[in-house]
Structure formats: C-alpha cells, structure tokens
Amino acid sequence: MWRKPGNSISRIDVNLKTRWYTLTITLILVLGLALLSGCAKKEEVEKPKKEGPVKGGTFIHPLYADPTSLDPPHVQESEGYRVAVMIFDGLVDYDPKTLEVKAELAEKWEVSDDATVWTFKIKKGVKFHNGKEVKAEDFKKCWERACAKETASEVAYILAPIKGYDEMQEGKAKELSGVKVIDDYTLKVTLKYPFPEFLKTLGHPVASVYPVEEAEKAVKEKKVWETPVGTGPFKFVSWKHKQEVVLERNPDYWDKEPYLDKIRFRVFADENTAFLEYKAGKLHDAMIPTGQYKTTKADPKLGPQVITGPELALYYYGFNMEKGIFADDKNLRLAIIYGTNKRAIVDTVMGGIPAPATGIVPRGVPGFKPDQVDWDYDIDKAKDFYSKSSKPSEITLTYNTSEGHQKIAEAAQAGYKEAGLNVKLVNIEWGTYLDRLAKGEYPFYRLGWIADYPSMDNFLYPLFHSSEKGNNNFCFYENKEVDKLLEDARKETNAGKRQEIYAEAERKILEDAPLVPIYFYSYARVVQPEVKNYKWNGMGLVNFDEIWLSK
Amino acid sequence: MARFIIKRLSQFLPVIIGITFITFMLLYLVPGDPARIVAGRNATPEMLKAIRHDLGLDLPWYQQYFNYLWKLIHGDFGNSYRFRRPVIDILLDDAPKTARLAFMAIVIETIIGILAGVISAVKKYSFWDTLITLAALAGTSIPIYWLGIMLQYFFGLKLGLLPISGYGGFSYMILPSIALASSSTALVALMTRSSFLEVYQQDFVTTARAKGLPERRVIFVHVLRNAMIPVITVIGLDLASLMGGAILTETVFSWPGIGSTIFQAILMRDVPVVLGGTLFLAIVFVVINFIVDIFYALFDPRIRLEA
C-alpha cells in the first residue's frame, strides 16, 4: 500500500535542504574543476620564444604502442626503433633526407673488390653515456651478443651475411669468426658472400654499439635491459611502461649537440586520442588518423601543419605459385590483377594518403623505377583473362583480422564483383595466419612489407628468391633466372649497375604475376608551427637531434 | 563463519588449477606458433629454432604445462614472450592502475546509482522519476567508446578543464571513470528503483511507520537495507569485471591498465601473459564473490553464512 511520505511542512524542509546540498556540491565541483584545469594546463608543451635555432624545450612525440624493447638485439618494431636510434649509434646511419648511407661512428671504411671483406676505422674519443670510450672490441661483443643463440634476437637476421653467423645461431660458436679486431680502432668484417649493400644493413639498431656488460648484467638480474646506455645524441632517463619514455640531451655528444633538452615519447593506444591531444596543443606532432586526412588538410588551422611523403613499404595481395588454383593459371592471376581497383582502395579506404603501387620496390628506395607495371583497374581485361582461365566458381582471399585490412578487402571485393569475379573473404587472427601462410595454405592472401633498411635488395631477395620460400617468400615463387639476377646483384659493387640488375629482376618477377602490388605507403602527419627543421623519413624515423622549438 | 571461510578457501585451489589447465590447453590447441609471432616475418629457420628453444616451446605440452605449474608454485609466472619482462612485473604494474579506475567507477555507480534509484522510487511517476529513468536508458545504450570521445572532446579539448588522456593524478581519472561507470550507474539506479519499490510495499515498512519512525529513517534504514541485496550482487560482479580492465576505456584514454595488456597478449599469443592475467582475474573474481557473500549477511541478518 502506498502512503505519501511526510507532511507538507517537512517536504518544504527537505526541499530547502536539498537545494542547499545541490548548491554546495555544484560549488565544490566547479572549484575542483577549476583547480584541476590549472594542473592540466601545466602539462602543455613548452614553447621557447626566440627566433632561429635555439636550445631548450621538451619535444613531446606520440608512440602508438609501448616499445617491445630498447635493447638493440630486440628492437623490432618502428616505435622502439624510433626511440633506440636516439640513444644508440652504429658505424653508419641514413641521411634523413635521401636515406643514403652516411658515416656515424665509422671514420672511414674500405671494401675488397668482391665486397666480402669490410674494414672500418672507428672514430677516436667517442664515449658511451657512462663515460667509457668506444673501441672496436665493443662492436664485436655487441654483434656477438645479437647473434648468440641464448639471446634469441628477433632481428639478428640483419647480421646474417657475416661469416660465422650460422654457427652462433646454432650455438656451436661463441665468437663471430667473420669479425676481427685489428686494433682498438679498426674492425675487419668478412662476409659469407659478396654483399655490397652490407653497409646499409649496419644502420639498423641491431648493429649499434653499447657497453655489452651493462646489458648482460641487467638481463641476468632482471631478464630485460630497460636502462639503455649508448653513444647517441640523447641519454635515457626513464621508461614507464605503456605511459612514456623520456630521453635528455647528451651534453658530451661526439657530434653536434642537439637543441632539445628532452624528448618525451608518450604512449597512446588509440591514434584518435593522440590526434585530439595534438589539437589541444599537448603534442608537437602526430599521425593523422585514417579517414581524417582530407578534413585535416581542408581545416584552415591544421591544413598548413600537414606534412606527407613516401614511406618505404608495400601493401600487396600474393598468390601461391606452388599449389592451389592460382599456381598454374596465369590468366586467373591476371584476371585478379586487372580486377583489383587500387585507385578505389587508396581513395575511399585510405583517404587518398598512399599511392597506388606501380611495382614491388616503393618510391623513396634508392634506385626506385617508376611504372614497372601498368596494372590499372580494367574490367574488360579482367573478364577476358577470366574467360581464358580455369574459371573457378569461387576464389577466397585470406587476410589477418583487422578492421583496416577488412575495409581494403571489401573494397577490393566490390571491384572484383564488377569484373565478374566472385571473391569470398576470410579473416584469420595474426598468430594462426602467419603460421598457415608459412605452410603455403592460402592460395590468395594479404601481406605488407616494410623496409628493414633502404635497399632494393630488401624488397626483392627476401620476397622472391627461391631460398626464402616459406620464410619470407610466401608466394612460393621460384624462377631460376630471377634467382641468378638477385645473386648477381649482390655481387655487383657498382651501385648504379646493381640497381639496374635489381630493376630487371623486378620486371621479370612482375612478368610472372605472382602478386598484386596494391599501394606504396605514405605518411601523413601534423607538426606544430613552432617545431623547426622537422624531418620524418621513409623509415618512420624523426631527426630529433636536429629539431628546435621556437616561437 | 569460520567454517564458511575454510570451505570457500578449499574450493579456491581446484578452481585455480582448472583455470590454468583450460587456458593453457586452449592456447596450446589453437593453431599458430608463438615463436613465429615473437620472431616476426623476417625470421630465419635458425632464429625460429633458437626462439622456440628459449621459450621452451620445443617440449611436449604436458611438460610445458607442468613446468609452468611448478614455477607457479614457486611464485614465478614466467616471462612475456614478447616483452621478455617477468609476467608478475607486468601484472603488478598494471593491476593497481586498473584497480584505481575500477574503484573510482564503483564509487560513482554506487553513490549516484543508488541515490538516483531511491529518488526515482520515492518520487515515483514524478518529473524526477521520468528524468532518471530516461538518463538510465541513455546510460545503458550509449557506447562507452563514443561517450569517452565526447567527454574528451568537450572537457578536454573545447573547455580545456581536464586532461584528454594519460595516466596521472585525480584529474586524469575523472573522464575515464565517468565513461566506465556510465552503464553500470544506470543499471544500479534501475535495480535500486525496482528493488526499493518491492520492499516499500511490504508489511514491516508499514509497521515501521506505524511506530512513528521518521520517513528518512524508514527509507534509508528499513527499506534501503532490505532492497540492497540484488544491488550488491550487481555492484560486486561489476567490480570483478572492472578489475579485468575495461579495454575500450583504457584504449580511448590511454590508461595503462590490465585489460589492454591481456587483450594484446591474446592477439600476439603471448602465452605466459595470458595465463598469468587469466589467473589473476580468476583470483579477483573468487575473492570478490566471497566478499559479496559476506556483505549479504551484513545487510540481511536472515542470510547465514553456512558451510
């Protein structure tokens, strides 16, 4: 049974009290928020107020995942790479603009005529952040640690051309037989085979130098080395997992001292959040989230802050050339190739940021040849090739589970449908996907390839040499002629001639149509106006050591 | 009471062992080679072999499982395949952060939810009741992700009052905990309302009034206390699931909690992290359920904690 609560007098009493409560709570909330906003504003990026190159300031840069490691043999993804190259130096580095190799800790080098023996003179007086001087022996120890079986490095393969690598990986040797210390400042490296591009591989963090004893001690005690010490322009300060990595200027840097006092790498789990933080002035640069490129470019404030350029990476759909419906059916492969609407994928799904692929080696890689193939979307050609093929009633495209890959696959599927091709989409989670891909279980699949180092070899040899079948060559592609060209290129010491050989190999591979190159990656970022001399290169690296902040 | 606690604790061990076994077998049976994921695409066969050996993946499954249990008994959760860090470090890093957020969300949903539910029930069919019911409906139907972005946009970007994202002091917790608590607050309010109305009509309430007790005492002591049982269940279960980390909230606000860690670990087949994380969550669930049971007895003396 219902009964009215209280009499009228007490109700007024309650109402008055309620109002007071409400008012008090509102006041507390408003005051609290005002106080908090004061705290929040302190976080804003520091803006020094001078013209021209000026020292000082903290650069706040977003990372889109916590680095898996900052220990050189375990630096394996772009986020960790970007931080590591500021802490560590190697014998050589890449020019931020051209991506050509330039000397870093190597004073000079000599190479034998057959490109198998490399002798490096190391700069004298270079010191680690802990004050110890860098000697040739340090390089040898670091490389040996990377190649050792116990280290189980994810990126040791970069050093695979060095003689003795296999023995180290198998645990049969404790030293790299191909690396000899001649004196404190001379290092002689012998390779298993002639490899003129060897120099380029040495720009990777896995080949950088650090006091190996510090790393070994940390790994022994704590399983991981999370207080890295190198010779780089910035010194490690702190790493709060999934939050931020902080580096500070190395005042004793052997080269030109950086302008920035500090770099704060803030970790984000979502690119949209980072973009909002950028808009609020809490980040100095950020990636433009997929789908927001056009609106950002058109925005009167953000538009002028947009920068774009090529990244050394290829997105492609591959065919299995050894088994399945595509193996002996070039017409079917060509039907798919002409039925792939690259332009629609780039424009509608990718917001116009990347460029439709015109070959395997992306633009930006030294030696890149434009228009290796002219495989534009052509419904008539697709239909024609399909009619000449074995005409399977259904084709399955497999890709690893991800919203982005799904959108691309759906756009491709729509294009195939118009060309009369019935393509079914199947997505599989990454772990399983990679495993089954290596076993050659997918006749038609998605993959991407991001350069380990800026070289044509890195795009052609691992993906198409027959010795890499089931390893990186997931097309299971084999062509003796191509194998020979790729091997010959590795022996050619003249850069120009070498690039010609690679270009020819690329053409030959494309003639066999083992893949649909879809697009070459591009970056699209925004950079605050007070950031000067900012360069983002095709390897996804930033020249933090040359940037300054002004206003 | 003591017997009750002992009995519950003795059920604890089989639950934990069962969970490790099921999780381990599921991860083991699903195709896909963790070494492949760790090594990445460019791995050479030698590297894969080295990594498999390093992670102990070249052993038969039962040996891998017993090795895991053996280490677990010694307090060793193993190391993450991907980050190489000890799993216990990762969990100890993340769990308190998740707990902070979960606790804040629970405080919001308990205070606002119960208060709104009581107001709505006492002022049945009034303007306030309609408003609260509508707000509750919105709370349950608005996706957390969207609400999170809207909160960031208005309070972070437009008004500049609160931090947009990141981990830090109290100010950093406000927006994510509001987003996180939104649907549960609504649920608690609706639950309180219906439970309250049910109790409100019972004879002992009439008796209390007949004895001349003030209305406030009738509502807060007699009715509310009896109406709390289903509400406590909801809040308790919610706390347990919030401790599992709210993946969406953590992602949108870049809150470094346990949810996103376990989620990523599942995707990357980081077996030790998934096992450790699942085990941790299982313990949290068991403990919270246990506490909820004790709370039942506190709120309703008719419930006895018997073994």
Side-chain angles (χ1 to χ4, degrees), chain A residues 1-6 11 13-15 17 33-34 36-41 43 65-69 74 76-77 148-157 160 165-166 169-170 222-224 226 240-243 266-270 272-274 276-277 279-282 316 429-438 447-450 452 458 463 470-474, chain B residues 30-33 36-54 76 79 81-86 89 93-94 97 121-125 145 148-149 152-153 155-157 159-168 170-172 174 197 200-202 206 209 215-216 219 250-262 266-269:
Chain A
M1 204 177 98
W2 263 105
R3 183 178 172 271
K4 272 191 178 178
R11 218 183 312 154
D13 190 35
V14 168
N15 280 349
K17 278 191 176 164
L33 283 178
L36 292 170
S37 66
C39 304
K41 271 179 185 156
E43 286 282 309
D66 199 28
T68 48
S69 175
H74 302 298
Q76 48 182 315
E77 25 61 78
K149 190 185 174 189
E150 311 81 77
T151 309
S153 159
E154 300 83 358
V155 282
Y157 68 91
Y165 167 84
D166 300 315
Q169 284 275 290
E170 285 160 16
K222 298 180 196 150
K223 301 279 178 198
V224 279
E226 295 196 330
K240 286 186 200 149
H241 284 285
K242 298 190 351 191
Q243 295 175 55
R266 274 191 64 187
V267 180
F268 289 89
D270 185 285
N272 291 298
T273 309
L276 268 185
E277 292 275 24
K279 287 180 184 169
K282 307 273 168 65
Y316 69 95
E429 175 260 316
W430 181 240
T432 315
Y433 185 75
L434 211 50
D435 205 39
R436 292 175 62 180
L437 195 64
L447 265 185
W449 183 263
I450 300 165
D452 295 309
N458 191 234
L463 298 185
N471 195 27
N472 280 313
N473 176 354
F474 293 124
Chain B
V30 177
D33 180 0
R36 250 283 168 204
I37 303 175
V38 171
R41 275 193 51 197
N42 302 5
T44 57
E46 296 85 38
M47 270 173 60
L48 280 178
K49 230 170 120 186
I51 290 172
R52 251 179 234 132
H53 180 77
D54 183 51
D76 181 1
N79 301 323
Y81 288 169
R82 212 162 115 73
F83 297 97
R84 289 166 188 272
R85 294 172 66 202
D89 287 1
D93 236 19
D94 292 354
K97 290 168 188 146
V122 173
K123 312 246 176 207
K124 200 179 159 200
Y125 304 135
Y145 194 80
I149 294 172
Q152 285 178 325
Y153 184 77
F155 293 97
L157 183 63
L159 301 174
L161 289 175
L162 291 165
I164 293 173
S165 69
Y167 180 77
F170 183 69
S171 62
Y172 286 84
I174 299 176
L197 287 179
Y200 209 65
Q201 295 172 36
Q202 289 187 9
T206 319
R209 283 213 188 86
E215 188 62 20
R216 195 177 297 160
I219 289 175
E250 285 178 10
T251 305
V252 174
F253 291 94
S254 294
W255 190 269
I258 208 164
S260 49
T261 299
I262 298 178
I266 293 170
L267 289 185
M268 303 308 282
R269 201 61 56 76

Side-chain angles (χ1 to χ4, degrees), chain B residues 12 16 95 236 239-244 278-291:
Chain B
F12 200 72
I16 300 299
L239 179 63
S241 68
L242 286 180
M243 273 310 293
T278 316
L279 199 62
F280 167 77
L281 291 186
I283 295 169
V284 168
F285 258 88
V286 173
V287 171
I288 289 177
N289 271 317
F290 179 65
I291 295 170

Side-chain angles (χ1 to χ4, degrees), chain A residues 18 22 65 77 156 281 342 429 442 459 484 512 522 549:
Chain A
T18 318
T22 321
E77 25 61 78
K342 295 186 273 191
E429 175 260 316
Y442 308 133
F459 280 87
K484 175 134 196 335
D512 291 331
S522 294
L549 303 173

